[in-house]
Amino acid sequence: VKREGKNGYRFYSPDLDEELLFKIEIEADLRKAIERGELEVYYQPQYRMPDRELIGMEALLRWKHPVRGMIPPDRFIPIAEETGLIMEIGRWVLEQACRQTKSWHEEGQPKVPVSVNLSTQQFHQPDLEFEIERILVETGLEPQYLELEITESMMMDATLSIAIMNRLKRLGIRLSLDDFGTGYSSLSYLSMLPISRLKIDRSFVMRLEESGNERAIVTTIIAMAYSLGMDVIAEGIETEGQLEILTGQRCLEFQGYYFSRPVPPGDLFLNAADTSQGM
Ligand code: C2E
Ligand code: CA
Ligand code: CA
Ligand code: CA
């Protein structure tokens, strides 16, 4: 064990060893996860008030690890990003989500779009628009039913990011800005992005009922979205109170446990009244 200045044994603490082992193990297991069918895509519905109309759903990746059980995406996606495995996983999620959505449309379910999260590496993949085009053609999903969720943190270079987004837009798909408010995009920059929708981050929604500051921020985000001609959706709605505050501020689109957790595809249209399933 080596001393690390005033932090003592920090670097060689058992916690860190465990974390490192976890990473090594996860990386190896993740390589096999797709072939072994351990990955699944869950879907979380999005609604518009006041009628609770279904307006879309977000595809969220799940990994049922044979030994460790369910591993949340926040735990393994960063590792997949580091190792480059995210490219294959991201492509797989896109294919699944488009195929599933097309098959819902064919079954006569509401014709609503699916939102798929893009990773930083995917966003910068040079042939991304061709890959997406191929997936749309292969699955038969019309482009207006695919929305890609992008975050501010992906856009290190403004000019480059706008060029990438414009190429994607040409396919006829939609783009949304996820986790909005947690990054640092300037207003002038935001107005140049070909984005149809802002997603208000859950961290603001969470504190809405306690903090006037959060209410002020959210009021500003909503006003800004509308003045730029964008829609706005709030994520992570858990309570009636949050819903009331937000509808009072003219935010009408919602996604959160209050309505439904993300559920496996088979459960989404089973019983709209039952929101107790999923995770
Ligand atoms: P995100 O894109 O911000 O997704 C929303 C997260 O909030 C999801 O967590 C969802 O289950 C959770 N959530 C939704 N409503 C509520 C609520 O009312 N309360 C609480 N406490 N949580 C709520 P999840 O599924 O664990 O995903 C976490 C993150 O992992 C996502 O955050 C996204 O950044 C990433 N992720 C998930 N699937 C994919 C994927 O296919 N590709 C990529 N690149 N990233 C993904
Ligand atoms: Ca998202
Ligand atoms: Ca989000
Ligand atoms: Ca988030």
Coordinates of all heavy atoms in Angstrom, one line a residue, residues 22-31 33-34 39 61 63 71-91 93 119-122:
F22 N -14.5 -4.3 -11.1 CA -15.8 -4.2 -11.7 C -15.7 -3.8 -13.2 O -16.3 -4.4 -14.1 CB -16.7 -3.2 -10.9 CG -18.0 -2.9 -11.5 CD1 -19.1 -3.8 -11.3 CD2 -18.2 -1.8 -12.3 CE1 -20.4 -3.5 -11.8 CE2 -19.5 -1.5 -12.8 CZ -20.6 -2.4 -12.6
K23 N -14.9 -2.8 -13.4 CA -14.7 -2.3 -14.8 C -14.2 -3.4 -15.7 O -14.7 -3.5 -16.8 CB -13.7 -1.1 -14.8 CG -14.4 0.2 -15.0 CD -13.5 1.3 -14.9 CE -12.9 1.7 -16.3 NZ -12.3 3.1 -16.2
I24 N -13.1 -4.1 -15.2 CA -12.5 -5.1 -16.1 C -13.5 -6.2 -16.4 O -13.6 -6.7 -17.5 CB -11.3 -5.7 -15.4 CG1 -10.2 -4.6 -15.3 CG2 -10.7 -6.9 -16.1 CD1 -9.0 -4.9 -14.4
E25 N -14.2 -6.6 -15.4 CA -15.2 -7.7 -15.5 C -16.3 -7.2 -16.4 O -16.7 -8.0 -17.3 CB -15.7 -8.0 -14.1 CG -16.4 -9.3 -14.0 CD -17.0 -9.5 -12.6 OE1 -16.3 -9.3 -11.6 OE2 -18.2 -9.8 -12.6
I26 N -16.8 -6.0 -16.2 CA -17.9 -5.5 -17.0 C -17.6 -5.4 -18.5 O -18.3 -5.8 -19.4 CB -18.4 -4.2 -16.4 CG1 -19.1 -4.3 -15.1 CG2 -19.3 -3.4 -17.4 CD1 -20.2 -5.3 -15.1
E27 N -16.4 -5.0 -18.7 CA -15.9 -4.8 -20.1 C -15.9 -6.2 -20.8 O -16.4 -6.3 -21.9 CB -14.5 -4.2 -20.1 CG -14.1 -4.0 -21.5 CD -12.6 -3.5 -21.6 OE1 -12.1 -2.9 -20.6 OE2 -12.0 -3.6 -22.7
A28 N -15.4 -7.2 -20.1 CA -15.3 -8.5 -20.7 C -16.7 -9.1 -20.9 O -17.1 -9.6 -22.0 CB -14.5 -9.5 -19.8
D29 N -17.6 -8.9 -20.0 CA -19.0 -9.4 -20.0 C -19.8 -8.7 -21.1 O -20.6 -9.3 -21.7 CB -19.7 -9.3 -18.7 CG -19.1 -10.2 -17.7 OD1 -18.2 -11.1 -18.0 OD2 -19.4 -10.2 -16.5
L30 N -19.5 -7.4 -21.2 CA -20.3 -6.6 -22.1 C -20.1 -7.0 -23.6 O -21.0 -7.0 -24.4 CB -19.9 -5.1 -21.9 CG -20.9 -4.0 -22.4 CD1 -22.3 -4.3 -21.9 CD2 -20.4 -2.6 -21.8
R31 N -18.8 -7.5 -23.8 CA -18.5 -7.9 -25.2 C -19.4 -9.1 -25.6 O -19.8 -9.2 -26.7 CB -17.1 -8.4 -25.3 CG -16.1 -7.2 -25.3 CD -14.7 -7.7 -25.4 NE -13.8 -6.6 -25.0 CZ -13.5 -5.6 -25.8 NH1 -14.0 -5.6 -27.1 NH2 -12.7 -4.6 -25.4
A33 N -22.4 -9.7 -24.1 CA -23.8 -9.5 -23.7 C -24.8 -9.4 -24.9 O -25.9 -10.0 -24.8 CB -24.0 -8.2 -22.9
I34 N -24.4 -8.8 -26.0 CA -25.3 -8.7 -27.1 C -25.6 -10.1 -27.7 O -26.8 -10.5 -27.8 CB -24.7 -7.8 -28.2 CG1 -24.6 -6.4 -27.7 CG2 -25.6 -7.9 -29.4 CD1 -24.2 -5.4 -28.8
L39 N -29.0 -8.0 -23.3 CA -29.4 -6.6 -23.3 C -30.9 -6.5 -23.8 O -31.3 -7.3 -24.6 CB -28.6 -5.8 -24.3 CG -27.1 -5.7 -24.0 CD1 -26.4 -4.8 -25.1 CD2 -26.8 -5.1 -22.7
L61 N -31.9 1.5 -22.3 CA -31.2 0.2 -22.4 C -31.2 -0.5 -21.0 O -31.0 0.2 -20.0 CB -29.8 0.5 -22.9 CG -28.9 -0.7 -23.2 CD1 -29.5 -1.7 -24.2 CD2 -27.5 -0.2 -23.7
W63 N -29.5 -4.1 -19.0 CA -28.6 -5.2 -19.0 C -28.9 -6.2 -17.9 O -28.7 -5.8 -16.7 CB -27.2 -4.8 -19.0 CG -26.2 -5.9 -19.1 CD1 -26.4 -7.2 -19.4 CD2 -24.8 -5.8 -18.9 NE1 -25.3 -7.9 -19.4 CE2 -24.2 -7.1 -19.1 CE3 -23.9 -4.8 -18.6 CZ2 -22.9 -7.4 -19.0 CZ3 -22.6 -5.0 -18.5 CH2 -22.1 -6.3 -18.7
I71 N -28.0 -4.4 -14.2 CA -27.0 -3.3 -14.1 C -27.5 -2.1 -14.8 O -27.9 -2.1 -15.9 CB -25.7 -3.8 -14.7 CG1 -25.2 -5.1 -14.1 CG2 -24.6 -2.7 -14.6 CD1 -23.9 -5.6 -14.7
P72 N -27.6 -1.0 -14.0 CA -28.2 0.2 -14.6 C -27.3 0.8 -15.7 O -26.1 0.7 -15.6 CB -28.4 1.2 -13.4 CG -27.5 0.6 -12.3 CD -27.3 -0.8 -12.6
P73 N -27.9 1.4 -16.7 CA -27.1 2.0 -17.8 C -26.0 3.0 -17.4 O -24.9 3.1 -18.0 CB -28.1 2.6 -18.7 CG -29.4 2.6 -18.0 CD -29.3 1.6 -16.9
D74 N -26.3 3.8 -16.3 CA -25.4 4.7 -15.8 C -24.0 4.1 -15.4 O -23.0 4.7 -15.3 CB -25.9 5.5 -14.6 CG -26.9 6.5 -15.0 OD1 -26.9 7.0 -16.2 OD2 -27.8 6.9 -14.2
R75 N -24.1 2.8 -15.0 CA -23.0 2.0 -14.6 C -22.2 1.5 -15.8 O -20.9 1.4 -15.7 CB -23.4 0.8 -13.7 CG -23.9 1.2 -12.3 CD -22.7 1.7 -11.4 NE -22.1 0.7 -10.7 CZ -20.8 0.7 -10.4 NH1 -20.0 1.7 -10.8 NH2 -20.2 -0.2 -9.7
F76 N -22.8 1.0 -16.8 CA -22.1 0.3 -17.9 C -21.9 1.2 -19.1 O -20.9 0.9 -19.9 CB -22.6 -1.1 -18.2 CG -24.0 -1.1 -18.9 CD1 -24.1 -1.0 -20.2 CD2 -25.1 -1.3 -18.1 CE1 -25.3 -1.0 -20.9 CE2 -26.4 -1.3 -18.7 CZ -26.5 -1.2 -20.1
I77 N -22.7 2.2 -19.4 CA -22.5 2.9 -20.6 C -21.2 3.7 -20.6 O -20.5 3.7 -21.6 CB -23.8 3.8 -20.9 CG1 -24.9 2.9 -21.4 CG2 -23.5 4.9 -21.9 CD1 -26.2 3.5 -21.7
P78 N -20.8 4.3 -19.5 CA -19.5 5.0 -19.5 C -18.4 4.0 -19.8 O -17.4 4.4 -20.5 CB -19.4 5.5 -18.0 CG -20.8 5.7 -17.6 CD -21.6 4.6 -18.2
I79 N -18.5 2.8 -19.4 CA -17.4 1.8 -19.7 C -17.5 1.4 -21.2 O -16.5 1.3 -21.8 CB -17.6 0.5 -18.8 CG1 -17.4 0.9 -17.3 CG2 -16.6 -0.6 -19.2 CD1 -17.7 -0.2 -16.3
A80 N -18.7 1.3 -21.7 CA -18.9 1.0 -23.1 C -18.3 2.2 -23.9 O -17.8 1.9 -25.0 CB -20.4 0.8 -23.4
E81 N -18.5 3.4 -23.4 CA -17.9 4.5 -24.1 C -16.4 4.5 -24.2 O -15.8 4.7 -25.2 CB -18.3 5.9 -23.4 CG -19.7 6.3 -23.7 CD -19.8 7.3 -24.9 OE1 -18.8 7.5 -25.6 OE2 -20.9 7.9 -25.1
E82 N -15.8 4.2 -23.0 CA -14.3 4.1 -22.9 C -13.8 3.1 -23.8 O -12.7 3.2 -24.4 CB -13.9 3.8 -21.5 CG -13.7 5.0 -20.6 CD -13.4 4.5 -19.2 OE1 -12.5 3.6 -19.1 OE2 -14.1 5.0 -18.2
T83 N -14.4 1.9 -24.0 CA -13.9 0.8 -24.7 C -14.3 0.8 -26.2 O -13.8 -0.1 -26.9 CB -14.4 -0.5 -24.1 OG1 -15.8 -0.5 -24.0 CG2 -13.9 -0.7 -22.6
G84 N -15.2 1.7 -26.5 CA -15.6 1.7 -27.9 C -16.8 0.8 -28.2 O -17.4 0.7 -29.3
L85 N -17.1 -0.1 -27.2 CA -18.2 -1.0 -27.4 C -19.6 -0.3 -27.6 O -20.5 -0.9 -28.1 CB -18.3 -1.9 -26.1 CG -17.3 -3.1 -26.0 CD1 -17.4 -3.7 -24.6 CD2 -17.6 -4.1 -27.1
I86 N -19.6 0.9 -27.2 CA -20.8 1.7 -27.3 C -21.3 1.8 -28.8 O -22.5 1.9 -29.0 CB -20.7 3.1 -26.7 CG1 -22.0 3.8 -26.6 CG2 -19.8 4.0 -27.6 CD1 -22.9 3.2 -25.5
M87 N -20.4 1.7 -29.7 CA -20.8 1.8 -31.1 C -21.7 0.6 -31.5 O -22.7 0.9 -32.1 CB -19.5 1.8 -32.0 CG -18.5 2.9 -31.7 SD -19.3 4.5 -31.9 CE -19.0 4.7 -33.6
E88 N -21.3 -0.6 -31.1 CA -22.1 -1.7 -31.5 C -23.4 -1.7 -30.7 O -24.5 -2.0 -31.2 CB -21.3 -3.0 -31.2 CG -21.9 -4.2 -31.7 CD -21.2 -5.5 -31.3 OE1 -20.0 -5.4 -31.0 OE2 -21.8 -6.6 -31.4
I89 N -23.3 -1.4 -29.4 CA -24.4 -1.4 -28.5 C -25.4 -0.3 -29.0 O -26.6 -0.5 -29.1 CB -24.0 -1.1 -27.1 CG1 -23.2 -2.4 -26.6 CG2 -25.2 -0.9 -26.2 CD1 -22.6 -2.2 -25.2
G90 N -24.9 0.9 -29.3 CA -25.8 2.0 -29.8 C -26.5 1.6 -31.1 O -27.7 1.9 -31.2
R91 N -25.8 0.9 -32.0 CA -26.4 0.5 -33.2 C -27.6 -0.5 -32.9 O -28.6 -0.4 -33.5 CB -25.4 -0.1 -34.1 CG -25.8 -0.4 -35.5 CD -24.7 -1.1 -36.3 NE -23.4 -0.5 -36.2 CZ -22.3 -1.2 -35.8 NH1 -22.4 -2.5 -35.6 NH2 -21.2 -0.6 -35.7
V93 N -29.3 -0.8 -30.2 CA -30.5 -0.1 -29.5 C -31.3 0.6 -30.6 O -32.5 0.5 -30.6 CB -30.0 0.9 -28.5 CG1 -31.2 1.7 -28.0 CG2 -29.3 0.2 -27.3
S119 N -24.9 8.3 -27.8 CA -23.7 8.5 -27.0 C -22.8 9.5 -27.7 O -23.0 9.8 -28.9 CB -23.0 7.2 -26.8 OG -22.4 6.8 -28.1
T120 N -21.9 10.1 -27.0 CA -20.9 11.0 -27.6 C -20.2 10.4 -28.8 O -20.1 11.1 -29.8 CB -19.9 11.4 -26.5 OG1 -20.6 11.9 -25.4 CG2 -19.0 12.6 -27.0
Q121 N -19.8 9.2 -28.6 CA -19.0 8.6 -29.7 C -19.9 8.4 -31.0 O -19.4 8.5 -32.1 CB -18.5 7.2 -29.3 CG -17.2 7.3 -28.5 CD -16.4 6.0 -28.6 OE1 -16.4 5.3 -29.7 NE2 -15.9 5.5 -27.5
Q122 N -21.1 8.0 -30.7 CA -22.0 7.8 -31.9 C -22.2 9.1 -32.6 O -22.3 9.2 -33.8 CB -23.4 7.3 -31.4 CG -23.5 5.8 -31.2 CD -24.9 5.5 -30.7 OE1 -25.3 5.9 -29.6 NE2 -25.6 4.7 -31.5

